[in-house]
Amino acid sequence: MMAAPDAFALPPRRRAERLSVAVVSELVELIVTGQLAENQLLPPEGPLSDYFGVSRTVIRESVKLLEEKGLVIVTQGRGTQVARSGSWNMLDPLVLSALIDNDESLGILDELTTVRASLESAMAGAMAARRTDEELTRVEHALQFMRDSQHESDAFRQADVVFHLTVMELSRNHLAENIAKRLYLRALESSRFHGLGYENAFQSTLDEHALVVDAIARQDVAAAEQAMSHHIVSSWQRRRFEPPRD
């Protein structure tokens, strides 16, 4: 008779690590919103420990995580200083989420659109340059899926996402795909990114996607790049609402 296997032993729970995640999340938001301004020194460990109600060990772990995200600079003898925003790792999920969630001016979404347009236009051009017949069929099917879904908002939106992800994948530019996908999928979680409805939204979106597919089919690199960039920028401009003024 075979002996019963040993039961799986759960590792010790790391309470300090879980606490540091919560502390980091709050500090990231304070930095991103400017409540802790660039070049400002964070309070010492003692006051931070009292403020968050955690040990100094948790504070040290939290500061280390902030440093890894590029949000702070730790200098011996000087303390912990908030880094310039240009040094932040804005692709870090926590940082990116905080930036988008607190983007009342829509400035971050404007910048995201510019970066996304640049990356996705390059990927559309790359696909046009070396697409196979099978790859062209895939992107044509993605466009047809959009056409078939145009009378149902949620399905159309999902079909739109599938189209863009398909072009990213078929570009074979894995670095651009990784960056653009991370920006795009996180932006989709924001109601500000979806913005306002506008007249003939389905048709204009379909027409712009069709221009991308046509250029890819003709293997016209410049046209594919221009069509994709124009679609991403103009679509955002049409649905972008004007933030309230103080």
Side-chain angles (χ1 to χ4, degrees):
M1 182 176 179
M2 296 181 60
D6 293 336
F8 176 72
L10 290 171
R13 298 182 70 185
R14 301 174 66 182
R15 184 170 183 271
E17 181 176 312
R18 296 200 317 279
L19 286 173
S20 66
V21 169
V23 172
V24 167
S25 180
E26 187 167 344
L27 285 171
V28 166
E29 186 156 344
L30 290 172
I31 291 171
V32 164
T33 58
Q35 295 177 70
L36 285 171
E38 293 183 13
N39 301 319
Q40 183 177 346
L41 289 171
L42 267 64
E45 280 183 7
L48 280 176
S49 176
D50 293 339
Y51 176 79
F52 287 105
V54 297
S55 69
R56 294 190 179 212
T57 300
V58 171
I59 294 299
R60 282 193 290 272
E61 178 65 22
S62 301
V63 169
K64 181 180 177 183
L65 291 172
L66 290 175
E67 188 177 23
E68 290 172 356
K69 297 175 189 298
L71 294 173
V72 300
I73 301 168
V74 181
T75 306
Q76 190 70 28
R78 175 167 171 76
T80 302
Q81 185 178 27
V82 177
R84 291 180 55 256
S85 58
S87 300
W88 301 350
N89 178 7
M90 294 187 181
L91 293 179
D92 178 274
L94 194 59
V95 177
L96 182 59
S97 291
L99 285 165
I100 293 175
D101 291 343
N102 292 283
D103 184 28
E104 295 183 6
S105 71
L106 301 185
I108 290 298
L109 288 175
D110 287 338
E111 294 177 13
L112 184 150
T113 298
T114 299
V115 173
R116 182 185 159 219
S118 178
L119 291 171
E120 288 200 47
S121 65
M123 286 186 280
M127 183 183 175
R130 54 176 179 265
R131 58 85 178 161
T132 65
D133 290 342
E134 292 78 12
E135 290 170 339
L136 176 60
T137 297
R138 279 189 61 188
V139 80
E140 287 174 337
H141 284 170
L143 178 61
Q144 187 59 47
F145 183 30
M146 291 182 65
R147 291 194 177 107
D148 294 342
S149 307
Q150 63 181 297
H151 300 298
E152 207 284 299
S153 297
D154 289 341
F156 185 82
R157 184 176 294 172
Q158 183 58 39
D160 191 349
V161 173
V162 169
F163 180 93
H164 284 275
L165 296 183
T166 299
V167 174
M168 290 181 198
E169 176 191 343
L170 297 179
S171 73
R172 306 176 208 171
N173 186 331
H174 303 304
L175 180 59
E177 177 187 2
N178 184 281
I179 296 171
K181 184 184 294 184
R182 188 171 301 187
L183 293 173
Y184 181 40
L185 294 180
R186 180 55 190 84
L188 286 169
E189 298 175 13
S190 169
S191 60
R192 293 189 181 101
F193 179 76
H194 294 289
L196 301 171
Y198 55 91
E199 190 175 358
N200 298 320
F202 289 135
Q203 192 58 54
S204 61
T205 301
L206 282 170
D207 290 345
E208 290 170 4
H209 284 73
L211 289 175
V212 175
V213 174
D214 179 66
I216 290 172
R218 292 184 286 107
Q219 295 191 289
D220 187 332
V221 173
E225 291 175 346
Q226 182 178 6
M228 182 64 87
S229 178
H230 176 266
H231 159 62
I232 291 172
V233 173
S234 63
S235 175
W236 168 241
Q237 290 173 344
R238 287 193 298 268
R239 67 181 188 275
R240 188 187 192 279
F241 61 87
E242 189 65 28
R245 298 180 183 275
D246 294 334

